[in-house]
């Protein structure tokens, strides 16, 4: 009997591109992951493969084994991954320009950046190569599985959700990420003092975010009387009933989605809450 030749080892960019279109995340290392991603639950995102450029594919092939990880349900050792740095989870980093800028500006903090957009992973890896940043790890797949199955309790120093899909049609509001069920999953993973920072240019979604976050007794709004127009410390807030929006902090660069929203006349709202 003739022995069969071993299957060729695909490169990271080839594995990403070849992921089954029906699955929401690339980089499946085993069948158990496929079963997890077939869970019957409403998802807050649409799977997006997109066409990678040669530069993005090259960055993936060079950097994925060092900086990337599959969201496959395997518990993570964040201290080992980030050398003991405090870690902020960023859900949905798009093309990675904002993530890279924040990582370069604060090398004393780690960023675990999760997304399902294949070209975005390659693009962010290009930025990390350019800047020499070592404090970012990329997670490919469904952030719900990452939070639920892979992160220890009290392991996160922060959570960032910038310009998530607003799902504007009423019948799709159930797909929005920021809602009570999401907070129930997030809160145990946040260490005391962890910063929760959300931003959106879709005002009805901003109002929903403010209601959901403000209703959580474990979270403190750092700008409970703020209208987003100026930076005040909590003790400096004037009396009054305004939505509780924060001004855009200096550490959050303006994103591509933000610029597009502003060009359409949208109003951008930031919300800053702290885990008690």
């Amino acid at each position: 009997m003739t022995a069969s030749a071993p299957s060729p080892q695909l490169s990271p960019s080839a594995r990403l591109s070849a992921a089954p279109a029906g699955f929401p995340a690339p980089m499946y290392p085993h069948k158990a992951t496929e079963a997890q991603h077939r869970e019957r639950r409403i998802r807050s995102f649409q799977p997006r493969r997109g066409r990678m450029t040669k530069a993005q594919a090259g960055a993936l092939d060079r950097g994925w084994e060092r900086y990337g990880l599959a969201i496959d349900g395997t518990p993570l050792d964040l201290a080992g991954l980030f050398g003991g740095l405090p870690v902020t989870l960023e859900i949905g980093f798009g093309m990675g320009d904002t993530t890279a800028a924040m990582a370069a500006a604060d090398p004393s903090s780690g960023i675990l950046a999760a997304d399902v957009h294949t070209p975005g992973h390659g693009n962010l890896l290009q930025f990390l190569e350019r800047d020499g940043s070592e404090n970012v790890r990329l997670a490919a797949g469904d952030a719900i599985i990452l939070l639920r199955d892979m992160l220890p309790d009290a392991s996160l120093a922060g959570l960032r959700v910038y310009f998530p899909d607003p799902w504007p049609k009423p019948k799709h509001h159930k797909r929005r990420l920021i809602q009570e069920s999401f907070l129930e999953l997030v809160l145990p993973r946040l260490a005391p003092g962890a910063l929760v920072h959300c931003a959106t240019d879709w005002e009805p979604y901003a109002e929903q975010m403010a209601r959901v976050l403000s209703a959580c007794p474990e979270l403190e709004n750092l700008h409970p009387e703020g209208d987003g127009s100026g930076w005040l410390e909590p003790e400096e807030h004037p009396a009054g009933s305004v939505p509780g929006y924060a001004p855009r902090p200096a550490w959050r660069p303006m994103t591509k989605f933000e610029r597009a929203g502003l060009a359409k006349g949208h109003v951008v709202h930031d919300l800053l809450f702290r885990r008690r």
Side-chain angles (χ1 to χ4, degrees), residues 90 92-104 111 113 115 117 119-128 130-131 136 138 253 255-257:
E90 182 175 352
F93 58 80
M95 297 306 289
D97 47 344
T98 297
T99 305
M102 296 177 78
I111 301 175
D115 207 306
H117 187 41
H121 286 90
N123 216 54
L124 177 51
L125 283 167
Q126 288 188 86
F127 290 135
L128 299 181
R130 177 198 67 190
D131 299 337
V136 180
L138 285 66
T255 73
K256 177 187 70 174
F257 295 103

Side-chain angles (χ1 to χ4, degrees), residues 27-233:
M27 307 297 281
Y28 296 105
H30 50 66
K31 292 293 182 181
T33 310
E34 296 182 5
Q36 285 179 315
H37 283 271
R38 282 175 171 158
E39 293 173 322
R40 297 183 63 84
R41 60 181 169 83
I42 295 170
R43 301 187 190 280
S44 62
F45 58 87
Q46 292 279 21
R48 295 187 301 155
R49 292 290 178 265
R51 183 182 295 275
M52 282 190 291
T53 66
K54 289 184 179 180
Q56 291 164 354
L60 275 166
D61 292 339
R62 292 188 300 272
W64 186 261
E65 299 303 327
R66 180 174 182 180
Y67 295 101
L69 59 97
I71 296 179
D72 62 359
T74 304
L76 293 178
D77 174 13
L78 291 185
L81 278 174
F82 289 92
L85 296 178
V87 177
T88 291
L89 172 63
E90 182 175 352
I91 299 178
F93 58 80
M95 297 306 289
D97 47 344
T98 297
T99 305
M102 296 177 78
D106 184 13
S108 64
S109 296
I111 301 175
L112 179 58
D115 207 306
V116 296
H117 187 41
T118 306
H121 286 90
N123 216 54
L124 177 51
L125 283 167
Q126 288 188 86
F127 290 135
L128 299 181
E129 282 185 334
R130 177 198 67 190
D131 299 337
S133 296
E134 299 286 342
N135 56 330
V136 180
R137 296 296 180 268
L138 285 66
D142 186 343
I144 297 299
I145 293 175
L146 175 65
L147 281 161
R148 187 193 65 199
D149 300 335
M150 301 175 67
L151 297 180
D153 285 352
S155 60
L156 296 175
L159 172 71
R160 295 173 186 154
V161 183
Y162 296 159
F163 302 93
D165 194 326
W167 295 103
K169 294 181 180 179
K171 67 179 181 180
H172 291 152
H173 286 181
K174 60 189 176 183
R175 295 183 178 274
R176 288 176 173 173
L177 182 64
I178 306 301
Q179 49 188 307
E180 290 83 356
S181 58
F182 175 71
L183 277 189
E184 290 173 2
L185 185 61
V186 167
L187 283 169
R189 311 299 185 262
L190 298 177
L195 187 68
V196 177
H197 186 189
C198 300
T200 181
D201 67 322
W202 193 257
E203 193 147 20
Y205 197 6
E207 293 169 355
Q208 176 180 323
M209 289 177 174
R211 286 195 304 271
V212 169
L213 295 171
S214 297
C216 181
E218 292 90 347
L219 295 177
E220 173 193 7
N221 190 344
L222 297 185
H223 296 267
E225 306 296 339
D227 63 1
S229 62
W231 187 272
L232 296 176
E233 295 300 325

